[in-house]
Amino acid sequence: MGQSDAGRAAAKDSASRTHAGAEQSTRARVARLIMENGPVTAAALGTTLGLTPAAVRRHLDHLLKDGMIQTRVARVYGNRGRGRPAKMFAITDAGRSAFEHAYDDLATSALRFLAERAGPEAVAEFARRQVAELERRYQPVVASAPLADRVRVLAEALSVDGYAASASAGAGLAAGEQLCQHHCPVAHVAAEYPQLCEAETEAFARLLGTPVQRLATIAHGDGICTTHVTAPSLRDGAASTRGRRIAASSSATARTTTARNVTTDNTATEVGGLSA
């Protein structure tokens, strides 16, 4: 192969790689649009992205083959004109996971930058602010539930946000309950920055009004995030015990103080008598 032939081959290879990169980028935009806007039609995708019907179909076929999206038939209300129902395209769990990992990488890099510039306490403050929004939304729902149902209600609220949570009672009424999260959207990030798990655990304690303890986390390699919730009876018993100890201590202090005051008063009287 001559030098000119080699140059043409190299240029062709470079153009091929550029085209492939552009195709991947556009395909990712199609998948992201489907994920962010819910089930959409090919026509809507083409209009939003400025693609021809043929180009949209090519990208959709690739995404369907890779299991990133799936097809659905549009739900029809009332009378519909003649013709086939519109085909909708929706993201799959595999497609969503692919984007979550990409977000994880970006989030981890951002937190690493924050830790380097402002220190670990800045990461902890960021984690608390992130969890505060969830806590704000959950608080009215959990607070309005009967005391015995609050862990279950919290699990249901977490499940709506994608945590696949459940609640189970321990052995015996006084053993407390376990709050289990079978999915963690930020597991990869929390593996490097446990402040995220710590902030979430603190929020659970405030929401449930009782001490909690994290027993296992997906971020640390466990299959489930498990949080032990202290039974209210144990919480109240511990508070009562602490109250009795404080009261006893205060009473003892008061008796000691009174005794000292009596001694001081007697001494002052005697001194006053001697002075007189």
Side-chain angles (χ1 to χ4, degrees):
M1 181 182 293
Q3 185 174 359
S4 58
D5 292 335
R8 283 193 294 270
K12 183 178 180 180
D13 182 60
S14 176
S16 177
R17 287 197 301 271
T18 300
H19 176 72
E23 286 283 289
Q24 289 291 342
S25 176
T26 303
R27 197 161 300 149
R29 290 172 60 203
V30 172
R32 184 187 296 275
L33 192 63
I34 294 173
M35 182 182 70
E36 293 178 349
N37 293 275
V40 295
T41 64
L45 289 169
T47 300
T48 302
L49 297 173
L51 299 174
T52 64
V56 172
R57 173 56 58 186
R58 183 175 69 253
H59 291 303
L60 291 174
D61 287 343
H62 276 286
L63 292 170
L64 286 167
K65 182 180 178 181
D66 293 340
M68 299 283 285
I69 62 173
Q70 60 187 350
T71 59
R72 295 181 183 176
V73 176
R75 184 176 298 178
V76 179
Y77 299 93
N79 295 325
R80 186 180 184 277
R82 299 177 60 183
R84 293 180 300 175
K87 183 183 292 185
M88 311 286 285
F89 296 89
I91 202 76
T92 62
D93 289 340
R96 192 178 303 278
S97 295
F99 280 102
E100 285 178 355
H101 288 304
Y103 292 146
D104 284 349
D105 292 340
L106 179 62
T108 301
S109 297
L111 288 180
R112 190 177 298 127
F113 177 83
L114 181 63
E116 291 173 355
R117 290 300 182 95
E121 181 53 36
V123 177
E125 177 63 21
F126 171 81
R128 287 191 288 269
R129 289 195 180 188
Q130 288 295 105
V131 173
E133 174 58 22
L134 290 180
E135 185 176 353
R136 183 190 65 78
R137 290 195 290 109
Y138 295 165
Q139 199 278 331
V141 179
V142 175
S144 63
L147 198 61
D149 295 335
R150 288 185 178 178
V151 179
R152 177 184 59 80
V153 170
L154 177 56
E156 292 174 353
L158 287 165
S159 294
V160 172
D161 282 333
Y163 289 87
S166 62
S168 61
L173 294 177
E177 295 180 77
Q178 285 191 347
L179 176 65
C180 298
Q181 296 159 262
H182 300 263
H183 176 64
C184 176
V186 296
H188 292 83
V189 184
E192 185 170 345
Y193 295 100
Q195 293 96 324
L196 297 172
C197 295
E198 293 165 3
E200 184 181 74
T201 305
E202 293 169 0
F204 288 168
R206 289 190 295 269
L207 285 166
L208 298 171
T210 189
V212 304
Q213 181 181 8
R214 189 59 65 94
L215 303 179
T217 63
I218 296 173
H220 289 162
D222 301 301
I224 302 172
C225 292
T226 306
T227 305
H228 176 76
V229 181
T230 301
S233 59
L234 293 181
R235 175 204 63 191
D236 296 340
S240 178
T241 299
R242 286 195 301 271
R244 287 195 298 270
R245 288 175 180 170
I246 293 171
S249 176
S250 299
S251 178
T253 302
R255 287 196 299 272
T256 302
T257 302
T258 300
R260 288 175 178 169
N261 289 340
V262 169
T263 302
T264 302
D265 290 343
N266 291 337
T267 302
T269 301
E270 291 173 1
V271 170
L274 288 175
S275 300

